[in-house]
Amino acid sequence: MSQKINGVKGMNDLLPGEIEVWQFVESTARTLFGRFGYGEVRTPMVEDTALFVRSVGEETDIVGKEMYTFEDKGGRSLSLRPEGTAPAARAYIEHSVSNQEPVSRWFYMGPMFRYERMKTGRYRQFYQIGAEAYGAKEPAQDAELMDVVVQFLEALGLTDVTLNINSLGDDNCRPAYHAKLVEYLNAHREELCADCQQRLERNPLRVLDCKNEKCQAVAAAGPNVLEFLCEPCRAHFTDLQRKLGVLGIKYVVNHRLVRGLDYYTRTVFEFIASHPALGTASTVGGGGRYDKMMKGLGGPDVPAVGFAMGLDRLVLLLKEGGKTFTPRPDLFIAVADEGSQDAGLALASRLRREGLKVDFDTRGGSLKSQMKRADKSGARFTLVLGEQERQSGQAKLKPMAGGEPIPVALDSVAATVRAQPEAPAAAPAS
Ligand code: ATP
Ligand code: MG
């Protein structure tokens, strides 16, 4: 016997039955981002490795430890994209978009790849939905972007999520904070985990991001970045908070929030869910401002702000809600005899063309076994087609939730089904 080949660890298959909740999240995102004027961008799954090294940062976990990097047959170093902001920025620069319009709003959705230690809500191929607004440096743009996320989460029915905001300052004021942080962390070196002792050397801000409890305690008592902001950065952050107030968006100021990428300036934010199902993977999304990145990538001096949400984690939360997302069939067509099989196949085809979701068992079989499948299908109605129905052109719609059969002419099945009020779903037999 041949040996079975399994999927790659940390990369999941999404099968029918489960995919509907994903489609619900995706279509909700499309609707909402569209309302805010964000257009969809699709970039390749693979980019030049240098793109991520230069934007996300060499010392970040993402680039330093988690990236799938390989050489192609031409000897180029390529990487599977670990995030979506840098590829979108690359495309924005490459297509000279800033010459065509002063402000651009883009969103994207798709798989990202990081070689991470897997657990609930943490995978090696995972999915993000993100948005970027280019060309506006004003706090109103940051606030608008957070509003997109808030309305998106509302539309999904996920209300138990807290917005955390912070400001990391800019090139002008961050160095002073940075120096103070290094001094403080050096004094508490022994209390930090081994990883953080290394981070201290290479990228001290990352210590604030560590999930280890002891490191968090050290970070909590450390210098507060907000006390180091220069006047323009402070004004930006204050105005952002005022704008959030105007929009009625609740938030918490969290001075320890830094996020795991190097490109942020000023605003950073995260949406954190309180549901225990996510464990330590409770951040459903986050983002921030990155006013220097375009220039750093050889592009124009264009400010930008963006976010990314983890689709896998949104789906986990929605599944906890217990709602079903799979639409049930309107109708199951069963055939009473072998001779009605073709007529059943044709009727199913016609009703599908007329817009009904129809289930029909192509294997045929006894009426009893077909009725069992009708039960299991969760269909609203079953129609039995036999010699008599074909002759008279008349049949009956049997409501699967119980109740009297409804007489129906075979040429008006779709209209009759549509006219029936939707009863509570008949639980499919397991
Ligand atoms: P975390 O702190 O949980 O590792 P992160 O800061 O690395 O998150 P970002 O790079 O900001 O995450 O990505 C934005 C969102 O994408 C996260 O909030 C999360 O919902 C999701 N995400 C990130 N990495 C993964 C992963 N390996 N598996 C599933 N979702 C992920
Ligand atoms: Mg991470």
Side-chain angles (χ1 to χ4, degrees), residues 62 66 82-83 114 116 121-128 209 211 259-261 264 270-271 280-287 308-313:
I62 295 177
E66 299 170 357
E83 57 100 62
R114 295 183 195 174
E116 292 210 63
R122 197 172 287 288
Y123 313 104
R124 290 180 176 172
Q125 173 170 330
F126 62 100
Y127 296 79
Q128 283 187 339
D209 215 16
K211 294 184 172 75
R259 319 238 336 103
L261 306 91
Y264 292 115
E270 271 188 0
F271 284 85
T280 54
S282 58
T283 306
V284 292
M309 313 276 294
L311 203 48
D312 307 74
R313 294 181 192 177

Side-chain angles (χ1 to χ4, degrees), residues 16-21 23 323-329 357 377:
E18 189 193 0
I19 202 75
E20 288 79 6
V21 54
Q23 291 169 337
K323 219 169 111 185
T324 54
F325 294 88
T326 312
R328 51 195 183 123
K357 182 170 158 74
S377 76

Side-chain angles (χ1 to χ4, degrees), residues 169-237:
D170 61 8
D171 289 349
N172 183 30
C173 52
R174 201 185 307 175
Y177 165 69
H178 203 269
K180 194 79 185 175
L181 180 68
V182 171
E183 187 190 309
Y184 167 81
L185 290 176
N186 266 319
H188 293 82
R189 207 190 159 80
E190 300 309 311
E191 296 154 57
L192 299 175
C193 72
D195 271 353
C196 279
Q197 297 197 2
Q198 286 210 340
R199 290 184 183 122
L200 182 47
E201 306 298 328
R202 309 168 70 174
N203 196 344
L205 269 183
R206 288 286 83 73
V207 174
L208 307 190
D209 215 16
C210 182
K211 294 184 172 75
N212 182 305
E213 271 179 32
K214 272 169 91 182
C215 301
Q216 283 185 359
V218 172
N224 179 343
V225 65
L226 296 173
E227 287 167 10
F228 289 79
L229 295 185
C230 59
E231 205 34 53
C233 286
R234 184 187 309 280
H236 195 277
F237 193 52

Side-chain angles (χ1 to χ4, degrees), residues 89-106:
R90 198 251 326 124
Y92 177 86
I93 296 168
E94 197 163 329
H95 299 280
S96 308
V97 180
S98 69
N99 295 339
Q100 297 153 42
E101 53 188 20
V103 174
S104 305
R105 292 179 169 86
W106 288 4

Side-chain angles (χ1 to χ4, degrees), residues 294-345:
M294 289 291 182
K295 230 177 150 194
L297 289 174
D301 193 6
V302 171
V305 57
F307 75 83
M309 313 276 294
L311 203 48
D312 307 74
R313 294 181 192 177
L314 295 176
V315 164
L316 279 170
L317 288 174
L318 284 170
K319 281 190 185 157
E320 286 296 316
K323 219 169 111 185
T324 54
F325 294 88
T326 312
R328 51 195 183 123
D330 297 301
L331 182 68
F332 189 100
I333 296 176
V335 290
D337 49 67
E338 190 71 36
S340 300
Q341 183 71 13
D342 285 356
L345 180 67

